[in-house]
Amino acid sequence: MPTTAFEIHPAIGIARLGASEEFHFGPQPDEPSPNDLRDAAQNLKRQVARFRVFQCTRDDSGHLVSAAEVTPSAGTIAWRVHLVNRKAASPNFIGSGRRNGATGDDNIDINLIIDAGVQTITGISQPIIKLDAGKFRGKTVRLGDIRTDAQGRLIVCGGFGVSEPVPAQPSTIGLNFADNEGWHDDTADGLIEATVTPPGGTPQKARSGWLIVGPPDFAPESQNLVTLYDVAFQAAVDARRLTAPNPPSFVRDIQRVLRRAVNYQWVTRAAQGHSGHRPGNFAEDWDALADPAHPPMEAQTVLKRLRDASKNPIPKPTEQNIRKWMPRLHDENNNDNAIIYKGL
């Protein structure tokens, strides 16, 4: 039997840091992409996430049947936002233990956790509320701000790209890409909630959403090799909420991953083996790789360059020429393999 409920969309919103107080909206299905991403002082504008509430009807299997956005005439929306940055107290990316000697107990690690607290905002065209209640080792850190637009939608801005140590340290010797003692930044994530009150009706809580505030995307045409969608899809498969396609489609499931590797040639020297007419430029072989009737040799040349992540420990590629291996990205077993690929 179909069920109707209020839902926040997007379920996961993405905001991005920027040095400017000004902002622009992230990709919207019904609006063109912004042309001017910097303010008059050439500071990068923050990319904001805009949340809406829909009244959704779903069938017994959870598939959407219909949806209508809650407009000001249909009800008043009371938003509840709670952003936190726990990076300084999180498990180390490399090795064991936690950063800055954290224990995992919020009561003990309170000076390392930047918590903006629960902030509420209700109604249309509400002015800015700064998310500056959090501190890192006694220093106030603003994680962004919230406001509403003329339709009562929630607009959430992230921080300003501030990354620095407390207390201040003049030297940056020994810093690496992941674990740096004493440092903080103003990225964050957290829960987005909403309660809808129809005219003369009873308040009803909407299905909640989530916000992730990340760094600027200076090269939007080049995606990460593993995207947030990939992670979410895998989590859904592991939880048996979705089923992985069997057999997979090359164009839908495989080509997009290989294309990301090819596009890395524009952002790192380690991926130059994917450029020009070199063997790692899979874009020159799309037709052959996608054709099931084509001899499997083409596909094997790709597979031989990859590590089999289904095995533990993950083995080395079967390709004998180490210079043809796919470059290893930073992970918990970070090493100096990237040096090998400079000459590709």
Side-chain angles (χ1 to χ4, degrees):
M1 181 177 179
T3 58
T4 300
F6 292 111
E7 301 180 11
I8 295 175
H9 289 280
I12 302 177
I14 305 295
R16 296 186 181 277
L17 306 176
S20 176
E21 284 283 351
E22 298 180 32
F23 61 84
H24 68 89
F25 292 103
Q28 303 288 310
D30 52 355
E31 297 179 9
S33 299
N35 294 320
D36 188 2
L37 301 181
R38 295 185 182 273
D39 62 18
Q42 294 303 300
N43 291 317
L44 191 68
K45 296 178 183 179
R46 293 173 291 168
Q47 176 181 303
V48 303
R50 177 167 53 188
F51 292 94
R52 316 181 193 201
V53 175
F54 290 83
Q55 189 170 31
C56 300
T57 299
R58 296 182 180 275
D59 61 21
D60 292 340
S61 63
H63 290 96
L64 188 66
V65 175
S66 63
E69 184 176 1
V70 177
T71 61
S73 62
T76 300
I77 304 175
W79 296 96
R80 187 173 181 269
V81 181
H82 189 188
L83 295 190
V84 181
N85 178 328
R86 297 176 176 271
K87 291 172 70 174
S90 66
N92 283 311
F93 192 82
I94 301 173
S96 60
R98 290 179 176 267
R99 299 173 185 174
N100 299 292
T103 65
D105 184 332
D106 287 2
N107 294 319
I108 298 175
D109 302 334
I110 187 171
N111 289 327
L112 301 173
I113 299 172
I114 306 169
D115 189 340
V118 176
Q119 303 294 333
T120 59
I121 190 168
T122 304
I124 64 174
S125 302
Q126 293 299 300
I128 182 175
I129 297 176
K130 294 181 179 180
L131 305 179
D132 56 2
K135 298 179 182 293
F136 176 74
R137 291 184 170 177
K139 176 204 167 189
T140 297
V141 180
R142 181 177 164 192
L143 295 181
D145 46 73
I146 60 175
R147 68 198 80 195
T148 62
D149 66 10
Q151 297 299 315
R153 301 161 178 160
L154 176 69
I155 297 173
V156 187
C157 298
F160 300 89
V162 175
S163 179
E164 58 188 15
V166 177
Q169 299 172 357
S171 174
T172 58
I173 295 175
L175 298 183
N176 64 40
F177 78 99
D179 303 318
N180 296 297
E181 299 293 286
W183 284 71
H184 77 283
D185 62 29
D186 55 357
T187 59
D189 70 330
L191 187 65
I192 307 294
E193 297 179 298
T195 299
V196 180
T197 305
T202 302
Q204 300 180 51
K205 190 172 182 180
R207 181 181 294 179
S208 62
W210 197 264
L211 174 73
I212 299 174
V213 182
D217 187 3
F218 290 109
E221 294 81 5
S222 297
Q223 291 184 304
N224 286 337
L225 193 64
V226 179
T227 67
L228 177 60
Y229 177 84
D230 294 333
V231 174
F233 185 84
Q234 184 64 54
V237 170
D238 292 343
R240 298 185 178 181
R241 301 292 298 273
L242 292 174
T243 302
N246 186 21
S249 161
F250 176 81
V251 174
R252 183 191 62 214
D253 304 314
I254 300 172
Q255 182 179 4
R256 59 192 179 91
V257 178
L258 297 180
R259 181 181 289 112
R260 295 171 199 160
V262 170
N263 286 342
Y264 268 25
Q265 65 179 284
W266 304 110
V267 293
T268 173
R269 289 184 62 189
Q272 289 306 295
H274 295 302
S275 64
H277 296 294
R278 294 171 178 171
N281 189 356
F282 309 129
E284 293 193 326
D285 301 317
W286 289 147
D287 291 342
L289 291 169
D291 186 358
H294 198 276
M297 182 176 63
E298 290 282 352
Q300 288 301 318
T301 60
V302 177
L303 293 174
K304 287 170 62 176
R305 300 165 183 263
L306 305 176
R307 298 163 178 84
D308 187 348
S310 67
K311 297 180 179 179
N312 188 17
I314 298 175
K316 295 179 179 179
T318 58
E319 168 62 54
Q320 295 300 309
N321 185 348
I322 190 173
R323 296 175 66 84
K324 292 184 178 181
W325 291 0
M326 289 276 278
R328 188 189 196 105
L329 301 181
H330 285 308
D331 62 10
E332 66 276 8
N333 298 312
N334 180 46
N335 54 35
D336 295 326
N337 276 0
I339 298 173
I340 297 171
Y341 303 97
K342 287 186 176 180
L344 284 178

